[in-house]
Amino acid sequence: IPLSGAMGVVIGLIFGAAIYAATLLMEDRRYLAFLVAFLTGWLSTGLFTCGCHEIEEVAGETAYAWKISAEGLSKDKFPMVLLKRFGWTHHPTVLWIAAFAIWGLLLVAVHVARYTWLKRKAAEEAGPGKV
């Protein structure tokens, strides 16, 4: 097993155990639910963006929006390599930025629509004046 794969498993187990412990210790889990939804949504956005960038590299890259030349901020070096899957890069292309923004906004819009629908459904099931 490569070291990066083993580290991914260890980090996943640590975060999974932390979330499990938090569900046991917290009475009000709304903040935990928001945090987990936020982190998985951010990861989803970053993975979608990275996938679009891989296709972009094969098909032809769009222009770079900017480039940060600081040595420690490269997406291929530790510690920023940990944030790469969340959408970090030190030289994003126009497609990278557009994909990140569009997927992120779409994700938020779907969550808001689902939340609104569930609140309306709960109000209808509870009857008038209950919720």
Side-chain angles (χ1 to χ4, degrees):
I1 296 177
L3 180 61
S4 61
M7 288 302 295
V9 168
V10 169
I11 291 170
L13 288 172
I14 290 170
F15 279 111
I19 291 170
Y20 177 72
T23 59
L24 295 177
L25 298 174
M26 296 176 75
E27 291 181 25
D28 185 10
R29 296 185 182 122
R30 287 180 293 181
Y31 299 112
L32 180 64
F34 176 80
L35 177 66
V36 171
F38 176 78
L39 288 176
T40 55
W42 188 11
L43 179 62
S44 163
T45 304
L47 290 172
F48 176 76
T49 303
C50 289
C52 287
H53 181 67
E54 294 299 322
I55 295 170
E56 178 186 31
E57 284 181 343
V58 173
E61 289 190 342
T62 57
Y64 288 106
W66 64 78
K67 182 171 174 77
I68 301 172
S69 59
E71 183 69 24
L73 296 179
S74 173
K75 69 178 180 178
D76 300 320
K77 295 185 180 174
F78 189 80
M80 300 314 284
V81 73
L82 299 173
L83 294 179
K84 181 180 180 183
R85 296 299 167 219
F86 287 93
W88 166 258
T89 184
H90 63 288
H91 60 287
T93 61
V94 172
L95 178 71
W96 186 289
I97 294 170
F100 191 89
I102 291 169
W103 188 262
L105 290 173
L106 181 64
L107 190 65
V108 169
V110 168
H111 272 78
V112 168
R114 177 77 175 162
Y115 178 77
T116 304
W117 179 77
L118 287 172
K119 288 293 261 188
R120 190 177 322 121
K121 184 177 176 183
E124 289 172 0
E125 289 177 358
K130 297 286 184 180
V131 174

